Amino acid sequence: MAATASTATFDAAAVAAQFPILQREIDGRPLVYLDSGATAQKPEAVLRTLDESYRLHNANIHRGVYTLAQEATDRFEGARERIARFVGAPTAETIFTKNVTEAINLVAYAWGRRNVGPGDTIVLTPMEHHANIVPWQQLALEVGARLAYVELTDDGRLDMDSFDALLERAPKLVAVAHVSNVLGTLNPVEAIVARAHAAGAVVLVDGAQAVPHLRVDVRALGADFYGFTGHKVYGPTGVGVLHGRRELLEAMPPFLTGGDMISSVDFESSTFHELPWKFEAGTSPYVQATGLGAAVEWLDALGLEAVHAHEQALVAYALDALTEVPGLTVYGPPAEQRGSLISFALDGVHPHDVAELLNRRNVCVRAGHHCAQPLMRRLGVSATTRASFAAHSTRADVDALVDGLHDVRRVFRL
Ligand code: C6P
């Protein structure tokens, strides 16, 4: 296969060597992991930190006075500081959640129930993950608000004229993905925030598919709420992050209530802890947080700019290589307006069959609606197959995908 320009300075194979799972073989063949959009594999540095947290520093946080408990607390709060720094957010405005789904629900419940009322408009886009649709539908049902969706262009970008038209309805909230998990579209979040703010709307950005791949500066973006999920950023499951603007967070009631988030409790009433702990009820995922802290440190050491350049070059290479497969339709915009994933369909073959046959070569891709059923409806399909990339992905991985797709066509006698 013809090679196109590469990022010569970035050694993805050396990065891959840091992932124990990528050294596995199944049936004598290496793994070609192209499903990092669903969850990222974990580098040794993250696994080591998780192991050390349990093996050497485990005690419940914010409670014990003994040294071990102090160590666990320091590691948890140290991870918060590291993660906040990683995305340019103030530490007190960096709240640990279970995942980005919980981060969005936190906003929908604690901010939404106070600030959205009958007849108010919530602006969404058709490319949202269910996590950034269903909480708003529930809110709208409860308070009598309306949802309005921005139009898409044919190549899967947001139609900004239609966005501007929706802003004339003076929406209370705009909730948008930074990068679509299906189309790969990298949305112009800075412009969206500026225009939404000018129209008086609060903006929530779902950064699940952005934070692992591009340098995100929460303060520079200016969004009121920005959430992401740890397991896609090479961290463990069970931990996500919500960044929120202090004034909004302070005015919001707590989301979940119970231990650790209180200042004092009496028989009839309670007062709540200051930020960020006011939104962290119960024992936090303190070990997972240390793993996420290690993950962002690891990504920072690789250099997020270098990772981004590498992945962009790989996406361009893949988009080019996929044109060699007859009958293949790629969804979404060109490489320069994309994050690190590509959804496609092969004429005459169900997306699940494509994934199933690729699996025979250990090429791991995702097929289905990708928790974006409204978008599937808009595209006029029930499912797509999706390859998603990470810092460890190589051209050899893309070549294995393309070879596998030729094989699928042979099996189906196309
Ligand atoms: N998308 C995918 O394969 P949680 O489950 O809360 O960690 O992440 C939810 C989520 C929210 N927003 C976007 C843009 C996402 O991509 C995801 C998770 C995975 O595309 C699993 S469905």
Side-chain angles (χ1 to χ4, degrees):
M1 173 170 308
T4 51
S6 84
T7 44
T9 48
F10 192 84
D11 187 351
V15 176
Q18 299 179 45
F19 288 74
I21 205 167
L22 298 178
Q23 316 317 312
R24 265 199 75 181
E25 292 191 342
I26 298 179
D27 298 331
R29 281 177 185 267
L31 270 184
V32 178
Y33 189 73
L34 293 176
D35 200 20
S36 297
T39 198
Q41 299 299 352
K42 317 305 170 199
E44 190 64 57
V46 170
L47 299 173
R48 194 169 50 240
T49 298
L50 291 169
D51 185 65
E52 283 169 6
S53 289
Y54 276 126
R55 204 177 283 277
L56 300 173
H57 307 286
N58 184 45
N60 208 331
I61 54 165
H62 300 153
R63 291 161 172 85
V65 292
Y66 50 88
T67 303
L68 207 56
Q70 198 52 53
E71 284 175 8
T73 302
D74 290 348
R75 286 168 72 84
F76 176 63
E77 294 302 342
R80 190 195 310 273
E81 281 167 25
R82 204 165 301 137
I83 293 159
R85 218 169 26 245
F86 179 68
V87 291
T91 309
E93 299 172 19
T94 299
I95 297 157
F96 283 119
T97 61
K98 185 170 71 178
N99 47 36
V100 71
T101 302
E102 189 180 86
I104 296 169
N105 273 277
L106 190 165
V107 178
Y109 279 89
W111 179 85
R113 265 74 179 164
R114 283 279 170 103
N115 292 282
V116 180
D120 284 342
T121 300
I122 297 169
V123 171
L124 304 174
T125 88
M127 67 173 86
E128 299 312 310
H129 186 280
H130 296 164
N132 203 22
I133 297 178
V134 185
W136 307 119
Q137 289 176 340
Q138 290 302 105
L139 171 64
L141 269 177
E142 255 183 70
V143 304
R146 291 174 304 190
L147 305 180
Y149 288 86
V150 182
E151 298 285 326
L152 290 188
T153 62
D154 286 341
D155 67 349
R157 290 173 299 111
L158 295 178
D159 177 337
M160 294 301 278
D161 290 339
S162 108
F163 178 57
D164 286 337
L166 291 180
L167 290 181
E168 283 172 18
R169 298 189 197 172
K172 279 283 165 67
L173 175 79
V174 173
V176 60
H178 197 161
V179 172
S180 157
N181 70 319
V182 177
L183 298 167
T185 317
L186 173 58
N187 286 318
V189 168
E190 233 165 305
I192 288 170
V193 170
R195 293 188 200 184
H197 280 173
V202 161
V203 182
L204 174 139
V205 178
D206 170 0
Q209 298 289 348
V211 173
H213 308 288
L214 19 131
R215 174 66 67 194
V216 171
D217 184 328
V218 168
R219 240 187 294 222
L221 285 180
D224 302 283
F225 298 105
Y226 191 103
F228 64 97
T229 207
H231 66 98
K232 295 193 207 284
V233 197
Y234 308 97
T237 52
V239 64
V241 178
L242 174 70
H243 301 284
R245 222 154 36 77
R246 176 183 278 278
E247 309 87 87
L248 295 178
L249 292 174
E250 278 181 344
M252 283 155 58
F255 171 42
L256 302 174
T257 54
D260 220 24
M261 51 74 67
I262 48 83
S263 171
S264 74
V265 178
D266 208 336
F267 288 103
E268 303 300 335
S269 64
S270 306
T271 56
F272 307 121
H273 211 332
E274 59 193 14
L275 294 175
W277 305 287
K278 167 181 160 186
F279 290 103
E280 295 179 355
T283 298
S284 288
Y286 61 88
V287 169
Q288 292 88 332
T290 65
L292 182 54
V296 301
E297 198 164 54
W298 177 84
L299 251 182
D300 246 350
L302 280 185
L304 207 46
E305 288 71 15
V307 168
H308 182 51
H310 163 68
E311 293 182 10
Q312 279 239 295
L314 200 64
V315 165
Y317 177 73
L319 285 172
D320 196 36
L322 288 168
T323 60
E324 289 176 21
V325 182
L328 191 118
T329 304
V330 166
Y331 300 100
E336 55 285 2
Q337 283 152 336
R338 265 185 195 264
S340 298
L341 60 93
I342 303 174
S343 280
F344 53 86
L346 194 53
D347 263 1
V349 190
H350 193 280
H352 280 116
D353 291 335
V354 174
E356 180 64 37
L357 286 169
L358 289 173
N359 177 53
R360 295 189 191 170
R361 293 169 164 248
N362 284 349
V363 176
C364 312
V365 296
R366 184 172 174 194
H369 55 60
H370 312 290
C371 301
Q373 284 181 337
L375 178 60
M376 295 294 120
R377 221 153 280 141
R378 168 68 176 74
L379 296 175
V381 298
S382 60
T384 72
T385 309
R386 183 190 68 186
S388 49
F389 305 103
H392 54 70
S393 303
T394 61
R395 288 181 171 204
D397 295 336
V398 173
D399 295 346
L401 169 69
V402 173
D403 289 347
L405 290 170
H406 283 301
D407 212 30
V408 173
R409 294 191 74 254
R410 273 192 293 274
V411 170
F412 276 79
R413 299 183 200 288
L414 294 172

